Amino acid sequence: MNKAVEQDGPGGIASDLLQNTVNVDEYLAQNRYSVDEENAHIELVANPDPAEFAKLVRVCPAGLYRQDADGNLSFDYAGCLECGSCRIVCGDTIIAKWSNPGPTMGVEYRYG
Amino acid sequence: MSDFQAIIVGSGCAGAVAAYELARDGKETLVVERGNSNGAKNMTGGRLYSPALEAIFPDFRDEAPLERRISHERLSFLTADACTTIDFSSAALLQNGQDSYSVLRAPFDAWLSSKAEAAGAEYINGIAVEELLKDGERVIGIKAGDDEISADVVVLADGCNSLLTESAVGYHRPGPQTLAAGIKQIIALDEQTVSDRTGNRAGEGTAWLFVGDATKGHTGGGFIYSNRESISVGLVATLSDLARSPYSLCQMLEDFKAHPTVEPLLAGGTVVEHSGHMVPEGGLKMMPDLTGDGVLLAGESAMICVNLGYRVRGMDYALAAGMHAGRAAAAALDAGDTSRAGLAGYQTALEASFVLQDMRQFQRFPHFLESTPRLFREYPEFARDAFNRLFVVDGQPDQPLTKSLKPLVKSLGYGTLFRDLRKGLKSL
């Protein structure tokens, strides 16, 4: 188990989560999506600042921003819930592009 | 000559109602909704208070896809190992005109938009409005995909993550201290089980809000709403505070669902949907201008929302704002002036309604939440410790209650407790 980040600090690195056992993919699999394989509607800058990335690991309700045990960062827009939290938190830093998915694409809530 | 008299961007609570009002008034109205079906991109906690809806659709109780009429209000102060709950039920909650309902947005918004369509509004679905067409400062239409469509007035009702309000009224992207991330799962259970577990009669439901450990002591809270054949469980957490938490939002929800108070409610249920949405929490101060030349903002694109911890309102404000936006736009079209000045009736109508009066009334509350982190950790712990003194019998001789409670209050600090209470009450 990794140590916790300083609660009042500027945000540590993503692998400093106190606990990370949730399997969000299992939940996202219940959602209906039309994934636009051709176009990413959200793009990050090259070599994103890990401290900024760590914020997105925390706020994304789909858990799409991830850091593995070796510190490698990954992001997959395919499970996006289109909430915009990453745009608000890192719109000035590591989010290079945030748009809505293309026509007929993205999440399609059946309950909402 | 414009293609349409009015274009509405987004078919949620505000957009569908604005379109309904305009179409009903005989205006050529187009709604552009990025969901393939109306409601497909929308999500709520959630509960809808009825008065605003009844003002528009008096027969909604027979027509609208409502889940349960809320008969139980619960507010819990949560620690990892305890839960202190206020459980309130009252005939007043069930009276017509004061009633509220759990809702799911996919079916609800589909119904709402059917009203606009029946009134004559045209719909384009499945495509997002990427930019506004402008002539100088004036909004003159929209661009969606390859289509450019002009209108005399545009109503933006595209939610709190609107990418258009900057172009429309110069509203800059708000900061992470003014918005919260919402996360929710729908847990499917059979109807009787939902009723039994939430202690409700058939057709009635529970709205339950949690402060404290639901967000691991961070600014925000948890919620549970009983639907007809499911339970909505989720969290709302202020982005700025969440971004430096040692837990992710997804992990917080996972742990909240496993809390001893919550777990038995959901046991045996199936997660059938996992959703996310932002919630505007900055109050009046974060609101954009509601009108510009040729454009109106309604609902969450205007950041209209009030979360008081025990009461969360957004959808009913959006319905009311949509109604006033639609009516003001129709009046401006009749007068032949959809400039900012011509649309000023919208602002006036909202000022006279509960929408802006509430936003004004509670404008200090967001600061209270932000500046009182004790609400989310120390006070739930205080409640636990105080009631432990009351209810736990450990075989030792009992102490007088005042004596055993004194050190608890002292550890918080009399002054702090008094100041927080005073500040909280003043902001409500």
Side-chain angles (χ1 to χ4, degrees):
Chain A
M1 199 63 65
N2 294 305
K3 68 179 172 52
V5 293
E6 281 293 315
Q7 222 156 295
D8 295 309
I13 59 169
S15 60
D16 276 351
L17 287 175
L18 199 56
Q19 175 196 3
N20 197 18
T21 53
V22 59
N23 179 2
V24 192
D25 289 339
E26 175 193 332
Y27 298 134
L28 297 182
Q30 303 304 313
N31 290 352
R32 183 188 292 166
Y33 293 98
S34 305
V35 179
D36 189 345
E37 308 284 356
E38 310 293 316
N39 304 294
H41 70 283
I42 299 171
E43 287 173 9
L44 301 183
V45 299
N47 304 315
D49 174 3
E52 287 297 301
F53 192 90
K55 296 179 183 175
L56 303 185
V57 173
R58 286 155 177 77
V59 304
C60 177
L64 301 177
Y65 297 87
R66 293 175 193 179
Q67 184 175 35
D68 67 18
D70 298 326
N72 300 311
L73 309 179
S74 66
F75 166 66
D76 183 359
Y77 65 88
C80 183
L81 303 170
E82 301 161 33
C83 72
S85 295
C86 55
R87 173 180 161 258
I88 296 299
V89 171
C90 289
D92 288 330
T93 57
I94 63 170
I95 301 286
K97 172 191 169 189
W98 203 105
S99 62
N100 286 306
T104 74
M105 295 295 176
V107 71
E108 197 160 326
Y109 291 132
R110 293 162 296 136
Y111 298 87
Chain B
M1 186 73 189
S2 302
D3 298 322
F4 285 88
Q5 287 180 289
I7 293 177
I8 319 295
V9 184
S11 188
C13 289
V17 170
Y20 168 78
E21 292 290 346
L22 278 154
R24 199 166 72 120
D25 200 60
K27 305 293 184 282
E28 291 165 27
T29 304
L30 174 69
V31 184
V32 184
E33 160 57 45
R34 67 188 188 90
N36 289 331
S37 56
N38 301 312
K41 300 288 188 185
N42 301 344
M43 179 269 229
T44 176
R47 172 246 298 265
L48 172 64
Y49 291 93
S50 74
L53 183 59
E54 187 164 24
I56 307 158
F57 302 113
D59 298 327
F60 79 95
R61 290 184 192 85
D62 301 322
E63 296 179 4
L66 306 166
E67 294 293 317
R68 287 172 184 258
R69 186 188 287 234
I70 301 300
S71 60
H72 279 73
E73 305 281 347
R74 289 194 189 131
L75 175 61
S76 290
F77 297 90
L78 205 65
T79 65
D81 56 351
C83 180
T84 309
T85 302
I86 296 166
D87 183 340
F88 181 71
S89 57
S90 159
L93 292 169
L94 294 166
Q95 254 174 49
N96 283 1
Q98 304 177 164
D99 42 346
S100 70
Y101 299 85
S102 51
V103 293
L104 297 169
R105 291 296 293 277
F108 183 78
D109 290 10
W111 170 77
L112 210 54
S113 65
S114 75
K115 291 298 204 180
E117 281 187 287
E122 286 183 46
Y123 266 76
I124 296 178
N125 279 93
I127 188 154
V129 173
E130 285 148 23
E131 53 185 280
L132 298 174
L133 300 177
K134 293 179 81 174
D135 178 8
E137 286 304 298
R138 191 188 168 85
V139 175
I140 56 164
I142 56 131
K143 186 168 183 292
D146 298 328
D147 291 329
E148 293 191 350
I149 311 172
S150 62
D152 298 326
V153 62
V154 174
V155 179
L156 291 187
D158 53 339
C160 65
N161 191 42
S162 174
L163 304 177
L164 303 173
T165 47
E166 176 145 25
S167 162
V169 292
Y171 184 67
H172 298 298
R173 189 179 58 229
Q177 73 287 353
T178 63
L179 285 154
I183 183 172
K184 181 181 83 163
Q185 290 181 350
I186 303 282
I187 315 289
L189 289 158
D190 71 72
E191 188 168 352
Q192 188 64 47
T193 303
V194 174
S195 295
D196 293 347
R197 289 186 183 177
T198 52
N200 292 123
R201 295 185 293 192
E204 294 180 2
T206 294
W208 194 348
L209 300 172
F210 297 79
V211 183
D213 192 62
T215 46
K216 307 279 190 187
H218 288 267
T219 309
F223 60 82
I224 285 175
Y225 294 97
S226 57
N227 306 314
R228 197 163 53 85
E229 294 181 301
S230 65
I231 290 176
S232 295
V233 56
L235 305 173
V236 171
T238 304
L239 285 169
S240 53
D241 196 22
L242 177 62
R244 51 177 190 240
S245 152
Y247 299 90
S248 71
L249 183 64
C250 293
Q251 188 65 48
M252 285 179 181
L253 178 59
E254 192 73 354
D255 292 351
F256 178 51
K257 284 163 56 191
H259 190 280
T261 298
V262 179
E263 191 274 334
L265 275 176
L266 310 177
T270 314
V271 177
V272 291
E273 192 167 85
H274 179 101
S275 55
H277 199 282
M278 281 195 297
V279 187
E281 299 213 311
L284 188 72
K285 274 198 212 80
M286 79 177 300
M287 285 180 64
D289 288 342
L290 294 171
T291 53
D293 282 330
V295 67
L296 300 170
L297 275 59
E300 279 194 341
S301 63
M303 303 295 180
I304 301 171
C305 184
V306 173
N307 179 357
L308 300 177
Y310 58 89
R311 205 165 69 196
V312 188
R313 292 173 67 183
M315 290 185 289
D316 67 319
Y317 291 135
L319 291 165
M323 180 187 82
H324 289 302
R327 290 179 183 177
L333 286 166
D334 287 339
D337 179 8
T338 52
S339 69
R340 188 188 170 111
L343 294 168
Y346 174 48
Q347 178 87 30
T348 311
L350 278 190
E351 294 279 3
S353 83
F354 64 89
V355 178
L356 278 181
Q357 289 184 24
D358 285 0
M359 290 298 291
R360 222 170 280 289
Q361 171 68 29
F362 299 122
Q363 61 181 307
R364 281 182 298 214
F365 194 75
H367 177 70
F368 169 66
L369 282 188
E370 203 182 342
S371 63
T372 317
R374 288 171 293 278
L375 280 173
F376 306 99
R377 197 181 297 275
E378 281 81 357
Y379 290 143
E381 287 172 356
F382 172 78
R384 172 198 62 197
D385 295 345
F387 284 106
N388 272 343
R389 301 281 198 284
L390 229 65
F391 293 117
V392 176
V393 173
D394 62 1
Q396 298 299 312
D398 245 337
Q399 295 211 323
L401 196 60
T402 48
K403 197 175 167 192
S404 62
L405 289 181
K406 213 170 174 178
L408 291 180
V409 182
K410 213 170 169 184
S411 73
L412 278 172
Y414 289 98
T416 307
L417 192 62
F418 177 73
R419 275 191 303 274
D420 285 350
L421 197 62
R422 186 161 167 271
K423 206 162 59 162
L425 287 175
K426 273 182 79 173
S427 67
L428 290 174

